[in-house]
Amino acid sequence: MSMLTGFEDVVRADVPLSEHTWMHLGGPAEFLAEPTSVEQLGELIRRCREEELPVRLLGGGSNVLVRDEGVKGMVIMLSAPAFESISIEKRRVVAGGGAKLGHVISNVVRSGLAGFETLVGIPGTIGGALHSNAGGRGGDVGQWTVAATVMTHTGEVSQRTREEMSFGYRESSLHELIVLDATFELEEDDPELLTKRMQKQWIVKKAAQPLAHQSAGCIFKNPRGMSAGMLIDQAGLKGTRIGGCVVSDRHANFIIAEEGASSADALALIEDIRNQIEQRLGVELETEIEIW
Ligand code: EPU
């Protein structure tokens, strides 16, 4: 009996993670699992624990940079229909951890619920969005979250109420848990007005960020009271290149990975930007993207 007996249908070995991340860089996952139910996810989590296999959750892959050597252990994606449901009742929205944030946004706007339209253009899944409280100037996901169903790394399922969760700037108390679903309470508004607001926001965002390119979201967190993009721009680093990776001309907190780029190029460019900003401006930048 192998250590993954019983999971043959949902676990694959040696799967390139470049196919599952926005930067399209990096090596394979030792194992990649796409469980089909909460029960199966729980069994898999418990098996990985018994076998001492490290577990990581991959959402939409828009905030992760995988190293060229790949990732040891089990990478789990909640991509099965069981994790992607979205239901709306009055002002309450319940979305699965694997549901795409973009799908949730368009559904709630169509239903005349306000709050999420400012999040338009943020990629990724609900689980990923809650993990690091995705947001922008118009607000974040955490401010609308009233409950969540989570699974621990021992496979136990439990509920979290609003009072039991905390959300800060790109951080949340749920970051070590698997989000199975989340409940949001939004505000009623006119669907037509909301659609217009969302479209306007989308145009502003598309003009400011290189959304169509091979890149992740912002590379660095904004230091308190400052914009990392503005600092990198002011330091004259737009267009700086290492190998196939280049600092975006549109928004300096984005790195574009061109054809033939490697993860090592991206990591070297991140380090170079960090060093230059520290030496020239005395500001320490912290990465927002996760490096696996
Ligand atoms: N700016 C420059 N040069 C640049 C980029 C920005 O001068 O290359 C200036 C802008 O002109 C503006 C200021 O810096 O005056 C702030 O820029 P922006 O409005 O683009 O906001 P930001 O602080 O750079 C944050 C979030 C984004 C989010 C936007 C809009 C972080 C790290 N970034 O960016 O989030 O989309 O606000 O809401 O919090 C992300 O987290 O991945 C992300 C993209």
Side-chain angles (χ1 to χ4, degrees):
M1 187 170 119
S2 102
M3 65 180 167
L4 290 168
T5 298
F7 295 101
E8 293 84 353
D9 291 347
V10 292
V11 176
R12 287 176 292 150
D14 213 20
V15 181
L17 287 175
S18 52
E19 291 169 10
H20 296 285
T21 55
W22 277 43
M23 297 214 53
H24 294 298
L25 300 177
E30 188 178 3
F31 299 106
L32 183 94
E34 295 177 89
T36 55
S37 67
V38 172
E39 294 68 34
Q40 193 179 41
L41 171 66
E43 285 161 21
L44 181 65
I45 293 282
R46 283 187 286 274
R47 179 74 62 85
C48 289
R49 212 175 155 79
E50 281 159 26
E51 301 292 343
E52 294 177 6
L53 271 183
V55 170
R56 290 172 186 271
L57 262 285
L58 182 62
S62 52
N63 208 31
V64 172
L65 172 62
V66 179
R67 290 177 195 276
D68 292 323
E69 51 271 37
V71 176
K72 286 270 169 247
M74 183 69 67
V75 173
I76 301 178
M77 291 180 73
L78 303 185
S79 48
F83 300 102
E84 290 186 317
S85 65
I86 302 171
S87 66
I88 302 178
E89 216 190 305
K90 295 196 180 126
R91 293 169 48 214
R92 286 213 156 200
V93 181
V94 183
K100 297 268 185 303
L101 179 60
H103 289 174
V104 179
I105 296 171
S106 48
N107 272 279
V108 299
V109 163
R110 224 179 299 130
S111 304
L113 291 177
F116 269 25
E117 72 284 0
T118 62
L119 306 177
V120 68
I122 299 181
T125 60
I126 288 294
L130 258 70
H131 172 86
S132 51
N133 192 19
R137 298 201 174 270
D140 55 43
V141 170
Q143 77 188 83
W144 304 104
T145 309
V146 293
T149 311
V150 296
M151 184 180 278
T152 63
H153 280 277
T154 53
E156 279 153 49
V157 175
S158 65
Q159 305 289 326
R160 291 281 189 280
T161 63
R162 170 87 229 180
E163 296 68 41
E164 292 166 323
M165 298 183 279
S166 60
F167 296 100
Y169 169 64
R170 298 297 191 275
E171 59 177 28
S172 113
S173 59
L174 303 178
H175 74 282
E176 281 182 350
L177 297 161
I178 302 168
V179 175
L180 299 177
D181 65 49
T183 305
F184 309 104
E185 204 169 278
L186 303 176
E187 283 156 13
E188 281 167 19
D189 208 333
D190 173 28
E192 262 181 50
L193 269 177
L194 287 173
T195 306
K196 284 207 182 107
R197 222 184 285 160
M198 181 173 76
Q199 285 165 342
K200 205 170 147 196
Q201 180 90 10
W202 176 240
I203 292 165
V204 170
K205 195 154 208 173
K206 262 190 102 169
Q209 298 180 4
L211 299 174
H213 293 275
Q214 188 172 322
S215 74
C218 285
I219 298 293
F220 298 102
K221 290 186 184 180
N222 281 344
R224 196 177 286 271
M226 292 184 270
S227 158
M230 189 189 266
L231 294 177
I232 300 166
D233 190 358
Q234 283 172 354
L237 298 177
K238 274 186 171 174
T240 305
R241 166 186 296 278
I242 294 188
C245 286
V246 58
V247 177
S248 167
D249 268 334
R250 187 167 298 179
H251 193 299
N253 200 5
F254 284 71
I255 288 179
I256 313 286
E258 295 176 348
E259 204 59 40
S262 68
S263 222
D265 295 340
L267 289 167
L269 188 54
I270 289 169
E271 265 327 288
D272 186 40
I273 297 168
R274 213 205 302 259
N275 287 337
Q276 300 224 38
I277 295 297
E278 175 149 29
Q279 280 163 19
R280 294 196 211 175
L281 307 171
V283 178
E284 257 182 69
L285 291 177
E286 187 193 335
T287 48
E288 175 180 314
I289 56 163
E290 276 186 28
I291 297 163
W292 283 16

